[in-house]
Amino acid sequence: ADQKIRIRAVGAMKFIGELFIRNLLVERIMHTCIQELLGLKREPIALPHSEEIEMLCKLMDTVGKELDHEKAAPYMSKYFERITEIKQQSDSARLRFMLQDVIELRGRGW
């Protein structure tokens, strides 16, 4: 049951990303989603759950190229600092690899 929910949640992130790519959602909504998934909207800032990390990776994979522009550079820098922190603190090799893939994807220019 948990596996099905996780698959649906990750699929929902992909769908949200595709809506953004097709200009059906504004960029501000993407930044809000990313900040929520990174745990930046919580006080105190906490390590996200594994499901949130998976959803984040799928969202960044889907919209990273469109979001990573000069005007959004301060946001993206903060996101990738946080992604690196999460990767270093994660106990799960699977999640560390997922986060590393997103980091490398950005490094290659998406």
Side-chain angles (χ1 to χ4, degrees):
D2 286 345
Q3 178 75 3
K4 263 187 167 176
I5 293 170
R6 196 175 86 241
I7 290 169
R8 280 196 171 154
V10 171
M13 278 300 115
K14 172 101 175 131
F15 180 69
I16 289 169
E18 293 293 337
L19 290 175
F20 170 69
I21 289 170
R22 287 165 178 70
N23 296 314
L24 297 171
L25 292 176
V26 295
E27 188 170 318
R28 181 177 40 83
I29 292 172
M30 292 298 99
H31 287 293
T32 300
C33 287
I34 292 167
Q35 291 164 12
E36 284 285 345
L37 293 170
L38 285 170
L40 296 172
K41 295 264 183 188
R42 297 186 205 126
E43 282 298 327
I45 293 175
L47 197 63
H49 298 286
S50 61
E51 297 84 12
E52 292 171 312
I53 294 171
E54 281 188 63
M55 292 188 301
L56 170 76
C57 290
K58 179 52 76 177
L59 188 60
M60 292 301 272
D61 184 40
T62 307
V63 303
K65 184 176 184 178
E66 284 74 17
L67 276 184
D68 205 356
H69 54 81
E70 193 176 324
K71 197 172 172 186
Y75 291 109
M76 295 301 281
S77 293
K78 185 172 180 86
Y79 300 158
F80 277 87
E81 280 175 27
R82 181 71 176 138
I83 287 170
T84 302
E85 282 174 23
I86 294 167
K87 187 184 108 183
Q88 292 167 348
Q89 294 174 18
S90 178
D91 294 334
S92 166
R94 185 173 153 276
L95 293 177
R96 284 194 307 270
F97 283 118
M98 288 175 79
L99 292 165
Q100 185 62 38
D101 287 346
V102 172
I103 293 167
E104 290 174 6
L105 187 63
R106 185 185 193 211
R108 292 191 307 267
W110 302 102

